[in-house]
Amino acid sequence: MKCLLIVDLQKDFVYPDGALYSEGVEDIVPEVLKLIREFKAQNLPIITTADTHVENDKEFSIWPPHCIKNTEGWKIIPEVENELKNYHLRYNTVKSRYSAFYNSNFEDIIKKINADEFHVAGLVSNICVLFTVEDLKSRWYDVYVHEKATNSYDKELHKFAMREIKEVLGAEVV
């Protein structure tokens, strides 16, 4: 089953007042919304992930505090939520590290919907997108990363991630 995976399109990453906002990352939102509409039109599953932390999370020794559960910055951006409102094939998982597989119900969702082909969009291309794609490819899933629907705080690291995804992991960059 083909599905769309939207990684961490949360207020703390996408909006200028977000804890880990980087200028220009929001440019992917129209492309992500286009993908959502395409997948909905085909009646295909859509999975969103939410980076989720607690106060004093160990990850805050690497990054500033962000996406703390139940805060405004933790929420998926309203543009995505509005597009997915009442969509019967929408699934969500919360994760506490870079990969969507880590300490989450992501694998259960995959089994439930019988997913074997993932179209990936979201943030951040060289962190959560990259590590999730690595784990998907390690399980031999077909993966297509939509480059115009991903971004990073660092353009060079974004280019590196796209090369790594294509040349090392063997996923398609489209």
Side-chain angles (χ1 to χ4, degrees):
M1 171 72 68
K2 176 178 168 178
C3 71
L4 176 62
L5 173 62
I6 303 169
V7 179
D8 300 353
L9 272 187
Q10 294 164 268
K11 292 181 177 183
D12 266 352
F13 297 124
V14 178
Y15 290 162
D17 62 346
L20 282 180
Y21 169 77
S22 296
E23 187 175 343
V25 297
E26 68 275 16
D27 295 346
I28 70 168
V29 172
E31 195 67 31
V32 172
L33 296 177
K34 179 180 163 191
L35 287 168
I36 291 171
R37 290 181 197 114
E38 289 173 13
F39 276 73
K40 282 173 51 179
Q42 297 174 59
N43 206 35
L44 292 168
I46 299 172
I47 305 168
T48 56
T49 71
D51 194 33
T52 304
H53 299 287
V54 296
E55 296 282 342
N56 301 314
D57 196 295
K58 287 184 179 183
E59 187 173 300
F60 300 157
S61 67
I62 303 169
W63 303 102
H66 63 282
C67 298
I68 297 170
K69 189 173 184 172
N70 298 322
T71 64
E72 196 61 28
W74 174 70
K75 295 177 181 176
I76 303 291
I77 61 170
E79 297 92 328
V80 168
E81 287 295 353
N82 291 338
E83 195 65 47
L84 292 172
K85 187 176 183 179
N86 299 321
Y87 184 55
H88 67 288
L89 293 175
R90 189 264 175 100
Y91 301 88
N92 186 59
T93 188
V94 297
K95 62 186 189 57
S96 60
R97 290 296 287 152
Y98 303 148
S99 173
F101 285 92
Y102 184 80
N103 198 23
S104 74
N105 66 337
F106 185 51
E107 207 143 21
D108 295 333
I109 294 169
I110 292 170
K111 290 175 185 172
K112 178 179 181 174
I113 64 176
N114 200 27
D116 59 2
E117 179 180 318
F118 294 83
H119 289 257
V120 183
L123 297 171
V124 169
S125 57
N126 58 293
I127 304 174
C128 295
V129 170
L130 175 64
F131 285 88
T132 298
V133 169
E134 190 279 330
D135 277 343
L136 286 166
K137 289 303 296 178
S138 290
R139 290 162 174 82
W140 298 108
Y141 290 115
D142 293 329
V143 179
Y144 300 85
V145 176
H146 293 258
E147 188 169 12
K148 290 181 182 177
T150 63
N151 210 335
S152 174
Y153 58 89
D154 182 303
K155 300 309 174 206
E156 290 305 311
L157 285 174
H158 175 74
K159 289 178 190 175
F160 163 80
M162 293 302 109
R163 281 192 64 196
E164 190 83 356
I165 285 167
K166 181 179 179 181
E167 296 174 18
V168 176
L169 300 179
E172 296 287 329
V173 175
V174 295

